[in-house]
Amino acid sequence: TGVVTAGATWLHWRRFMVPITVAVGASALVAVAVGAIMAFVPGSRDAVHPMLLAAGLLVFALAMRWDMTDLERRTRRSDVAFWLHLAAAPLIAHPIFHMLGVFDGAVSAPMAALVLVLYVAFACVALAVDRRALLVSSLVYVLWAMYSLFEQSGAVELAAALTALVIGSALLTLSAFWQPMRRGVVGLLGGLSQRLPPTQQVALA
């Protein structure tokens, strides 16, 4: 069914060129590839998260390829990239945090710190490419890590409130100062910045 879906989306794209179609087709191909490997390669089920991560990086690269053909984000190509970023983000974020075992039990202080470092790294990538999909996909893991950390520190009754306060403040700051922060991140990339959207653009995803 995945192959049929991929073929149907390709035909749909050729006929109607609806931006979301490319992302649907890419997701179908990922499902087919991962499913085929799990079906025919013994023991591959134990490597499902690395496979999904690799697939997510490939979809992200495809999204960037579409993005780089329309840096001003004025054509349908930017919309195609938007949906591809939305497809790639969970394929990248979920396997990483699952491999770390964020939901396997109580989150220790080192684990919480690692989750926060990863979220900051995702934020830098999001700022650089001017897409917020990675931040959204990984938010639940940061919330859980912060909640567990506050709970273990003794603030059981206030854990949820403190988590909401810290994460909410961080997201509000990021949203309010998105463009200045983006200029700072892009400025560190040197010549690579020429392949990224201009810093005055408004983030779309």
Side-chain angles (χ1 to χ4, degrees):
T1 57
V3 175
V4 174
T5 302
T9 54
W10 182 80
L11 292 174
H12 188 272
W13 167 254
R14 296 293 296 177
R15 176 64 180 85
F16 301 105
M17 290 193 172
V18 178
I20 194 176
T21 306
V22 179
V24 173
S27 299
L29 288 176
V30 168
V32 170
V34 173
I37 293 173
M38 292 175 64
F40 297 108
V41 179
S44 59
R45 291 181 179 273
D46 296 333
V48 63
H49 292 309
M51 286 191 292
L52 290 175
L53 175 58
L57 292 174
L58 288 175
V59 176
F60 180 81
L62 180 61
M64 290 304 302
R65 182 173 180 178
W66 280 89
D67 250 342
M68 288 188 291
T69 61
D70 182 20
L71 295 181
E72 298 291 337
R73 295 186 175 171
R74 296 178 178 176
T75 69
R76 184 184 288 115
R77 290 179 175 272
S78 175
D79 297 330
V80 172
F82 169 91
W83 291 107
L84 284 169
H85 277 290
L86 288 184
L91 289 172
I92 294 173
H94 297 334
I96 289 177
F97 289 110
H98 275 285
M99 285 188 289
L100 288 175
V102 175
F103 286 149
D104 290 347
V107 178
S108 63
M111 176 66 74
L114 180 57
V115 170
L116 291 176
V117 168
L118 283 172
Y119 196 70
V120 170
F122 284 159
C124 290
V125 174
L127 286 165
V129 302
D130 205 17
R131 300 285 188 184
R132 292 186 172 97
L134 269 176
L135 293 177
V136 175
S137 292
S138 55
L139 181 59
V140 63
Y141 301 100
V142 180
L143 290 172
W144 175 248
M146 292 292 294
Y147 177 83
S148 297
L149 195 59
F150 283 128
E151 195 174 43
Q152 292 176 51
S153 66
V156 178
E157 297 180 355
L158 297 175
L162 290 173
T163 299
L165 176 63
V166 172
I167 300 300
S169 299
L171 292 177
L172 183 60
T173 301
L174 188 62
S175 178
F177 298 99
W178 181 270
Q179 289 303 326
M181 295 174 70
R182 182 165 187 268
R183 283 193 290 271
V185 171
V186 173
L188 298 174
L189 300 178
L192 186 60
S193 62
Q194 301 301 317
R195 298 187 176 185
L196 298 172
T199 53
Q200 70 270 18
Q201 290 287 326
V202 178
L204 298 178

